Amino acid sequence: MNEEAAKKLVERHAQRLPVDGQAGIEAARQGVSEVELVRAPAEGIPEVVSEYWQIEEVGRRLAKGRGPVAFDAERASGFTYSQRAYLVQIRREGAGSFLVDPVRSGDLSPIDSACQGAEWILHAADQDLPCLAQVGMLPDQLFDTEVAAQLLGLDHIGLAAVCEYALGKSLLKDHQADDWSKRPLPKDWLRYAALDVELLIPLRNKLSRALQLAGKAHWARQEMEAIRTAPPKEAPAEPWRKVPGAGKVRTPRGLEVLRQLWVERDEVARELNIAPTKILRNQAMVAASQAEATSRRQLLSIGAFREKRARTRIAIWARAARAAGRTAESALPKKKHSSGKGLPGRRQWAKLRPGSSERLEIVRFCVHSLADHLNIWQEKLLAPAAQKELAWAYNESKDVAEILEHAGARPWQVETIASLLDEALATL
């Protein structure tokens, strides 16, 4: 199938769908003519609460509120080893806004109990739900404003950008990447934190209406429920292979150096609750691995190991390097070539399964084109991993819908795109 024929096929398919992407994007923008900078919460900056009796009082006030509850959480990614929440922000109509320090209080179950049965509003919920679960908080219902923005096809999906587009309100984002484990938290940071939930309720209402008008409300429900009920992410079996630049390490001995350095660095980082890269840079580990450094002297010949952060613990890194040098050849890690869900690397597709690369190209073209027609982010229409699995597993005896379901596609995704991909692939 040539590109022109594929375009016509996508156009015909899009016209049959009960979706009006343009209506959704226009509804999201309706009433916005200019952008106003919101500098402070309308009711002032709430006091940070941290004692358990205060948490119980927050729970009582939230229980008397009405409607959905807005949540946000601040972590200290890049500063601490832990991915816990260092501040939780909450807002509900009729109750007001609250800033809660979960480090001292630990258990926030009184707040969780007060909010059960209500819809929780978060932006990028998959980032915050795990750390909220650590302090005893799990929603019964979820509305994710980032997911709504992706389904509506907004160009920019950060909270500040979505608020500007849909509400005409601009938020300061000065402290997004700061170290929230710091105590006491500066007033400017608390102002920023309170503003993160200030607009979530009106934003949810505006985006929800836009999804309804676009015919995408049931898409949103399925996507948000999938996030709410998602199991915890499994830790990779060999996390050291995820180090940026690990692909540059070509030899088994070099991979063993990388593994040993990663294990030592992770142990130190965990013990001190410091981000691993604050202790030893990834570039340093990769350079040592490429050089197959197995001694203190060889490590110190690498510039990154002469930096203060690395040299402070050079005895630890040298111990890891020596251990890598002593590992038997038969026990050295192997270079892996697989990519996601056990599929081979793309370079091998043509040899192992002729036609699979061509199928992937047509699948990608159809997904991208239909996403443009429907005003939706293409990865929300069908995840890249599912696109690959379909291209690899497809043959004329297999049902496209079944392959997509096996790949993790939601029912709305299968209903929206399976017949298009079936027709497109059948022409190859």
Side-chain angles (χ1 to χ4, degrees):
M1 173 179 287
N2 60 39
E3 185 173 317
E4 190 59 35
K7 283 182 179 178
K8 291 181 179 179
L9 177 63
V10 171
E11 288 173 3
R12 290 197 301 272
H13 183 80
Q15 290 170 359
R16 294 195 294 267
L17 294 172
V19 176
D20 189 342
Q22 190 60 34
I25 203 78
E26 289 175 358
R29 185 65 174 173
Q30 186 176 9
V32 177
S33 58
E34 57 184 28
V35 176
E36 170 194 357
L37 177 62
V38 181
R39 297 184 179 275
E43 300 159 8
I45 302 173
E47 177 187 355
V48 177
V49 300
S50 58
E51 301 296 337
Y52 193 74
W53 68 268
Q54 294 176 308
I55 303 300
E56 290 180 313
E57 175 60 23
V58 170
R60 285 190 287 269
R61 289 178 60 183
L62 286 169
K64 294 178 180 178
R66 60 186 182 275
V69 189
F71 283 92
D72 190 32
E74 304 297 344
R75 299 179 301 281
S77 301
F79 294 94
T80 64
Y81 185 91
S82 168
Q83 290 302 303
R84 66 167 301 161
Y86 285 95
L87 188 72
V88 175
Q89 306 100 284
I90 312 163
R91 182 172 177 80
R92 192 177 197 183
E93 294 296 332
S97 294
F98 305 91
L99 300 179
V100 179
D101 181 352
V103 178
R104 291 190 61 183
S105 59
D107 178 23
L108 302 188
S109 57
I111 294 175
D112 179 74
S113 298
C115 298
Q116 288 309 306
E119 180 185 79
W120 293 22
I121 310 168
L122 291 99
H123 190 84
D126 60 331
Q127 301 295 311
D128 288 343
L129 286 180
C131 67
L132 290 175
Q134 289 177 358
V135 290
M137 300 180 67
L138 293 168
D140 288 333
Q141 303 174 58
L142 174 67
F143 190 95
D144 188 327
T145 50
E146 181 186 69
V147 171
Q150 290 175 312
L151 293 175
L152 289 168
L154 272 65
D155 291 335
H156 304 287
I157 58 171
L159 178 60
V162 179
C163 285
E164 285 187 22
Y165 187 90
L167 301 178
K169 306 286 187 180
S170 177
L171 295 173
L172 296 171
K173 302 300 291 182
D174 296 346
H175 304 294
Q176 191 170 18
D178 284 329
D179 180 5
W180 287 86
S181 68
K182 179 178 179 178
R183 293 295 183 273
L185 289 169
K187 184 176 180 180
D188 282 352
W189 295 21
L190 298 177
R191 180 185 295 110
Y192 158 86
L195 285 173
D196 263 2
V197 290
E198 181 88 358
L199 301 178
L200 277 180
I201 295 172
L203 181 63
R204 175 255 179 234
N205 294 338
K206 186 79 174 288
L207 297 182
S208 178
R209 179 175 178 275
L211 288 166
Q212 289 281 358
L213 292 174
K216 298 176 179 179
H218 66 296
W219 296 4
R221 284 192 293 271
Q222 291 182 34
E223 285 299 301
M224 295 170 193
E225 182 64 6
I227 293 172
R228 188 187 73 84
T229 58
K233 290 183 180 179
E234 293 183 11
E238 297 178 311
W240 54 271
R241 291 187 185 271
K242 301 294 185 180
V243 171
K248 299 175 183 177
V249 183
R250 306 295 184 187
T251 66
R253 184 68 61 186
L255 290 172
E256 177 65 1
V257 172
L258 181 60
R259 187 182 75 83
Q260 293 284 356
L261 286 171
W262 187 94
V263 169
E264 290 285 1
R265 184 182 73 168
D266 191 69
E267 184 176 329
V268 173
R270 186 192 301 271
E271 181 179 344
L272 299 177
N273 193 25
I274 297 175
T277 53
K278 296 284 185 183
I279 294 170
L280 181 64
R281 292 194 296 132
N282 291 326
Q283 299 95 314
M285 296 198 302
V286 171
S289 304
Q290 289 177 299
E292 295 186 15
T294 56
S295 70
R296 178 190 181 107
R297 188 172 74 173
Q298 288 174 330
L299 288 177
L300 289 174
S301 70
I302 299 168
F305 279 89
R306 296 194 296 272
E307 295 176 357
K308 182 178 180 181
R309 78 173 84 176
R311 197 177 181 102
T312 299
R313 298 180 177 86
I314 192 62
I316 296 175
W317 316 136
R319 181 175 67 208
R322 287 194 298 271
R326 291 194 299 266
T327 303
E329 292 284 342
S330 60
L332 293 176
K334 302 295 187 291
K335 184 69 176 175
K336 289 192 172 181
H337 294 284
S338 62
S339 63
K341 290 195 175 182
L343 298 183
R346 278 291 308 283
R347 293 181 181 179
Q348 301 179 65
W349 280 33
K351 178 181 178 182
L352 296 175
R353 192 161 292 184
S356 55
S357 289
E358 291 78 6
R359 287 195 294 271
L360 182 56
E361 291 305 313
I362 192 64
V363 168
R364 283 175 169 171
F365 180 87
C366 288
V367 171
H368 284 233
S369 297
L370 184 59
D372 287 342
H373 279 280
L374 301 179
N375 273 1
I376 179 176
W377 282 44
Q378 65 90 12
E379 56 266 37
K380 279 298 176 188
L381 180 57
L382 189 63
Q387 297 177 37
K388 288 182 179 179
E389 186 163 338
L390 173 60
W392 178 256
Y394 175 83
N395 62 55
E396 292 181 359
S397 66
K398 289 189 175 182
D399 182 64
V400 167
E402 289 183 4
I403 297 173
L404 293 180
E405 289 169 3
H406 181 267
R410 249 73 81 187
W412 76 265
Q413 294 170 317
V414 175
E415 294 167 5
T416 302
I417 202 169
S419 61
L420 168 63
L421 296 175
D422 196 6
E423 187 173 351
L425 291 170
T427 64
L428 289 178

